[in-house]
Amino acid sequence: GQQLNQSPQSMFIQEGEDVSMNCTSSSIFNTWLWYKQEPGEGPVLLIALYKAGELTSNGRLTAQFGITRKDSFLNISASIPSDVGIYFCAGLTGTSYGKLTFGQGTILTVHP
Amino acid sequence: DGGITQSPKYLFRKEGQNVTLSCEQNLNHDAMYWYRQDPGQGLRLIYYSQIVNDFQKGDIAEGYSVSREKKESFPLTVTSAQKNPTAFYLCASSLARTDTQYFGPGTRLTVL
């Protein structure tokens, strides 16, 4: 099935640094979702975006729904060790009948 | 507390045996989904159900079966026909077919 192109695949950063990751697609999406998954656990929803151009924050996290509806970005400011995990983007089209299309994930490691 | 529960957390089975994974939600969501996650990979959709007594195959349905007799329950059976059943299985639900999906904590299945 189709996958979103998520980059980077992994990031190794120092505590306090800012982080940026993005997802792109050749298809248009009506909804973009960002999840975080910790080892052995299910993904937890971080931010949901429903409108092209929308910019939404959740604490130190900010995500944007690209104006072309084919991409989305997630930024984490002032990273802390508990930000460690895998971040997934996911998209919903208007005709996907609830079937999420996922990115491959970005593995984030934060060094104290 | 409202949420999605999956049981058991860890499951071991012998080759040739069928096994059923439980997924229950008390969020009053109409739609439920089953995903499979392999190490270092994204999530792949196995089956989904938009309404009670109805379900559709996802991208990798071979060797799996489901039922949706109650709105709050969507059990997944991994049959002996599934060639590589060892994986992390995630259940999700959403209010309607185009809504944001919320995930359960997952079940790790190991075939011995």
Side-chain angles (χ1 to χ4, degrees):
Chain A
Q2 177 193 7
Q3 269 201 327
L4 299 172
N5 298 313
Q6 185 172 349
S7 65
Q9 288 188 343
S10 61
M11 302 183 74
F12 298 85
I13 62 169
Q14 291 292 129
E15 183 176 359
E17 290 183 2
D18 296 343
V19 171
S20 291
M21 58 190 80
N22 69 83
C23 273
T24 60
S25 172
S26 57
S27 302
I28 288 174
F29 288 91
N30 291 342
T31 300
W32 282 93
L33 307 170
W34 284 93
Y35 293 91
K36 178 188 177 185
Q37 186 178 27
E38 298 189 17
E41 301 295 330
V44 174
L45 181 69
L46 298 174
I47 293 178
L49 303 160
Y50 300 105
K51 188 177 174 182
E54 180 182 352
L55 185 70
T56 298
S57 293
N58 178 8
R60 293 179 294 105
L61 277 61
T62 301
Q64 185 162 24
F65 192 139
I67 198 73
T68 65
R69 296 167 62 194
K70 294 183 179 181
D71 56 8
S72 181
F73 305 86
L74 175 70
N75 296 318
I76 305 173
S77 63
S79 59
I80 59 178
S82 62
D83 289 334
V84 165
I86 304 175
Y87 291 79
F88 289 100
C89 62
L92 273 171
T93 70
T95 58
S96 60
Y97 296 97
K99 291 175 63 176
L100 283 176
T101 301
F102 283 90
Q104 305 95 319
T106 295
I107 302 171
L108 178 63
T109 303
V110 180
H111 294 288
Chain B
D1 281 357
I4 303 173
T5 57
Q6 292 185 241
S7 62
K9 181 70 173 175
Y10 299 95
L11 190 55
F12 298 88
R13 80 150 215 225
K14 294 182 180 178
E15 272 191 54
Q17 290 180 337
N18 292 355
V19 62
T20 297
L21 282 60
S22 168
C23 178
E24 304 277 331
Q25 53 96 2
N26 60 4
L27 301 168
N28 200 32
H29 284 174
D30 293 308
M32 297 186 74
Y33 312 82
W34 274 105
Y35 292 89
R36 169 183 173 137
Q37 186 177 32
D38 294 284
Q41 297 192 28
L43 281 69
R44 292 184 290 169
L45 182 65
I46 303 172
Y47 267 99
Y48 62 104
S49 168
Q50 306 298 336
I51 196 170
V52 173
N53 292 323
D54 187 51
F55 47 83
Q56 287 78 41
K57 293 181 179 180
D59 299 320
I60 56 164
E62 185 176 349
Y64 300 98
S65 65
V66 293
S67 63
R68 186 85 187 276
E69 297 177 1
K70 298 186 295 183
K71 185 176 184 177
E72 59 270 22
S73 179
F74 190 40
L76 172 74
T77 297
V78 183
T79 75
S80 56
Q82 168 52 233
K83 291 183 171 39
N84 296 299
T86 295
F88 190 48
Y89 290 88
L90 288 159
C91 177
S93 70
S94 65
L95 195 56
R97 63 177 175 82
T98 57
D99 269 357
T100 302
Q101 290 182 28
Y102 296 88
F103 286 84
T107 292
R108 184 166 299 282
L109 172 65
T110 302
V111 174
L112 305 172

